[in-house]
Amino acid sequence: MSTSFDTAVIDTALADLTEGERTWAATGLRRRRELLDELHALTARDAEAWVAAARTIKKLDIDSPLLGEEWMSGPMTMLAGAQALSESMAALEQGVSPLDGVALTSAPGGRVAVPALPHGIFDKLLLSGFSADVWLKPGVDAGTARRKAGLAQLEPTKTGGVGAVLGAGNIMSIAPLDTLYELYANNRVVALKLNPITDPLLPVFQAIFAPFIELGVVRILTGGAPEGGYLVNHPQVAHVHMTGGAPTHDAIVWGPGSDKTGAPVLDKPITSELGGVAPCIVVPGDWSAADLKFQAEHVATQRLHNGGYNCVAAQTVVLSADWALKEQFLVELRAAIDNAPARTAYYPGSDGRVSGALASYPDAARANGRLLVENLPAGDTPLLRTEYFSPVLGVVELPGLGGEFLSNAVDFANDELMGTLGANIIADPATITELGATLDTAIEKLRYGTVALNAWTGLAFLTPRASWGAYPGHTIDDIQSGIGVVHNAFLLDDVERTVVRGPFRPAPRAILGGEFTLSPKPPWFVSNKTGSSTGRKLTDFYGDGKLRRLPGIFFSALRG
């Protein structure tokens, strides 16, 4: 087979890793934990260089509040993930489960729920009012959960060969976090191939992974699709993990243009985190003008965070056609989208995807390169079947109020939308009380890997002990949002989903409405004016844990 690149670089890296696998098998739990601690320290040291490279990639001004996205979804998330994994390794090193001392709870359907957030006093302070629970699959009891927590680290000498990780090009912590998950959850040494978009981060990633590279268990590669194809099909690669879109997955597994009727061309297992058409279900209620404005900004954030280039970005807002405040909410939503900070469409093909959506929906409103498509039909229409991966948002109206509407919306999300990565629900406290068990049933029925109530599903990505991935059950010939999970720093087996909850209102309005939270407008909101300052201060704190940093974080967050 002829190639247009030098295959020797990949061949050499895989030969190194084949030898490195023996080294990894002989590396004890203590040293494995120490490697995480070293990576943590190096990430803290190089956090500013990380964000500077990300700013270059995304063409953000140095004083843009949107740089907060890069601090929080970049080095901050990496720091949190490394520390959480280190704590799990410390437990295993001591001969106990990573769930030792963790009070497991129950979830609907007799499931075991593992609290992932808050975990410790600082989570309670910094994310006051937010929570996340990992639901395990039905039939798994608490004893089994504790016994199996640790995954491949329960037998560290049994390694899983060389894993190829195809890195994402949108969120800069995805590739390094996926690398850690392969090393620790699956006990595989890793050949990480960066997405070409992220090549400016190569020096940073080489620096923070230096201890693993020196040990011979990580190699970082660059290149485009030809290099990626050569890597994943190499006989020395035992497993592939990728983050991206379903079309890319299918091209890798079945070959470009395949109808998936024959045998797959990829002759090894593959796991994946892919996107989809994520819903945001807005449950009707008696909202104030401030509620309408805040939640419109919340929905706009779910679509426009990172410019709209998120696998779990909300793409379909589901409203009640019978909600008395529907029109007022739409007025606020249009304003929130129009007023969000302008930014360059850095991700390749974005303008073309927006133009394609506009061709399908010529009456849609367009502002600052963003598209809002109202009055979508609830049946077969492109916006419900295509992940646009760009700032395109649709609105579907369904009949009903209360439990009837919620049931209709859940069925719509499950049956009409492509993908199962994440689903959002927004409901005010009075409506939550009124719905009672109906809301619990709705969350249980949603077939999504993350379900968020009054929070964006992206918070699960930022939460290291939460799982991240599609709802289980997909196959390579119907991949939807992928197979398997990542992050999951408790190293839990039998994961079904993560359920995130947050306050409906920010402080101090929330307290007046009966919700106990100290959290103001979240720093990840695209309308947050101090996002960059807060994100940097949070990253500094996750890097060194110095208590003197807390007042500055709170002051910056309150000004947002």
Side-chain angles (χ1 to χ4, degrees):
M1 180 180 68
S2 63
T3 60
S4 59
F5 59 91
D6 184 2
T7 61
V9 173
I10 296 175
D11 293 339
T12 300
L14 294 177
D16 291 347
L17 289 169
T18 300
E19 178 64 30
E21 183 186 3
R22 289 188 280 272
T23 304
W24 190 238
T27 302
L29 294 176
R30 177 179 176 179
R31 181 60 188 144
R32 294 184 182 203
R33 174 184 55 78
E34 291 172 345
L35 286 163
L36 287 167
D37 296 340
E38 291 169 20
L39 177 141
H40 183 277
L42 292 168
T43 301
R45 182 196 70 185
D46 291 344
E48 188 160 0
W50 179 322
V51 173
R55 182 176 68 82
T56 300
I57 293 166
K58 300 188 179 182
K59 301 177 173 63
L60 292 170
D61 292 336
I62 196 168
D63 58 352
S64 171
L66 295 175
L67 274 180
E69 297 178 355
E70 300 312 312
W71 286 104
M72 287 180 283
S73 67
M76 188 196 86
T77 299
M78 188 67 177
L79 289 164
Q83 182 172 334
L85 263 180
S86 175
E87 291 176 9
S88 290
M89 292 302 295
L92 294 167
E93 184 185 343
Q94 295 161 15
V96 300
S97 168
L99 293 180
D100 188 51
V102 177
L104 306 185
T105 60
S106 61
R111 294 170 173 85
V112 168
V114 181
L117 178 76
H119 187 84
I121 184 62
F122 297 122
D123 280 351
K124 293 177 181 178
L125 288 172
L126 297 173
L127 287 164
S128 173
F130 290 90
S131 67
D133 296 299
V134 179
W135 290 12
L136 304 184
K137 295 175 182 177
V140 178
D141 61 32
T144 301
R146 294 184 191 278
R147 177 173 50 82
K148 295 174 73 174
L151 295 177
Q153 295 306 307
L154 295 172
E155 297 182 276
T157 61
K158 293 185 178 181
T159 50
V162 178
V165 172
L166 301 182
N170 59 330
I171 294 293
M172 302 310 165
S173 63
I174 291 177
L177 284 170
D178 289 352
T179 298
L180 289 184
Y181 200 72
E182 279 290 271
L183 280 163
Y184 286 87
N186 299 313
N187 218 21
R188 284 189 276 266
V189 296
V190 179
L192 165 62
K193 193 201 80 65
L194 299 180
N195 186 300
I197 298 171
T198 66
D199 281 355
L201 273 161
L202 175 62
V204 174
F205 290 161
Q206 288 176 324
I208 67 174
F209 275 102
F212 294 91
I213 293 171
E214 291 166 8
L215 192 64
V217 300
V218 169
R219 289 292 181 267
I220 305 177
L221 303 166
T222 59
E227 288 87 347
Y230 183 79
L231 172 65
V232 300
N233 289 290
H234 199 286
Q236 285 181 280
V237 168
H239 182 275
V240 177
H241 178 79
M242 66 159 292
T243 299
T248 303
H249 169 275
D250 290 347
I252 291 170
V253 174
W254 299 97
S258 171
D259 61 4
K260 299 187 283 189
T261 56
V265 298
L266 188 71
D267 63 352
K268 59 200 67 174
I270 181 170
T271 53
S272 51
E273 186 263 89
L274 312 175
V277 179
C280 180
I281 299 168
V282 180
V283 183
D286 185 14
W287 296 7
S288 68
D291 295 336
L292 292 164
K293 178 177 169 55
F294 177 79
Q295 292 300 342
E297 292 180 6
H298 189 185
V299 174
T301 293
Q302 293 176 16
R303 175 70 265 184
L304 298 179
H305 180 278
N306 193 36
Y309 313 119
N310 287 330
C311 290
V312 78
Q315 187 169 301
T316 303
V317 183
V318 187
L319 294 181
S320 165
D322 304 316
W323 185 23
L325 298 176
K326 178 191 69 178
E327 291 302 328
Q328 290 96 312
F329 178 76
L330 286 171
V331 167
E332 293 291 352
L333 180 60
R334 295 177 200 124
I337 292 173
D338 291 348
N339 295 334
R343 62 183 300 164
T344 302
Y346 76 89
Y347 205 89
S350 175
D351 290 340
R353 291 189 293 274
V354 173
S355 296
L358 190 59
S360 297
Y361 307 102
D363 296 329
R366 184 172 186 176
N368 297 323
R370 304 156 188 157
L371 205 64
L372 180 63
V373 186
E374 298 182 41
N375 301 309
L376 271 172
D380 189 10
T381 186
L383 197 144
L384 308 185
R385 304 285 190 265
T386 305
E387 182 195 8
Y388 281 114
F389 211 68
S390 60
V392 176
L393 182 64
V395 179
V396 169
E397 297 181 16
L398 300 178
L401 296 169
E404 179 191 4
F405 165 76
L406 185 55
S407 179
N408 290 338
V410 168
D411 290 344
F412 168 78
N414 283 339
D415 300 337
E416 299 293 338
L417 301 182
M418 186 276 286
T420 65
L421 186 60
N424 310 275
I425 303 173
I426 296 174
D428 65 87
T431 300
I432 290 172
T433 299
E434 182 179 330
L435 288 170
T438 300
L439 179 58
D440 296 333
T441 300
I443 292 172
E444 181 186 9
K445 285 180 63 179
L446 279 165
R447 297 191 295 269
Y448 287 83
T450 296
V451 178
L453 174 63
N454 291 335
W456 178 35
T457 47
L459 181 57
F461 179 91
L462 302 178
T463 301
R465 293 173 181 84
S467 60
W468 185 249
Y471 192 78
H474 300 314
T475 58
I476 58 170
D477 56 348
D478 182 20
I479 195 62
Q480 296 284 317
S481 290
I483 296 171
V485 300
V486 290
H487 301 189
N488 180 29
F490 277 134
L491 299 175
L492 304 171
D493 201 1
D494 303 312
V495 167
E496 182 184 67
R497 75 182 89 185
T498 289
V499 176
V500 178
R501 291 178 170 86
F504 177 72
R505 300 178 178 96
R509 284 198 306 114
I511 297 173
L512 299 175
E515 296 177 283
F516 181 75
T517 177
L518 302 177
S519 295
K521 178 188 291 185
W524 55 84
F525 268 40
V526 293
S527 55
N528 193 301
K529 293 178 172 54
T530 61
S532 180
S533 168
T534 305
R536 180 171 191 148
K537 292 177 184 297
L538 284 166
T539 302
D540 289 342
F541 177 74
Y542 278 84
D544 61 23
K546 292 180 178 177
L547 297 181
R548 62 176 173 79
R549 298 192 184 276
L550 292 176
I553 294 172
F554 296 141
F555 180 69
S556 179
L558 287 168
R559 290 169 47 239

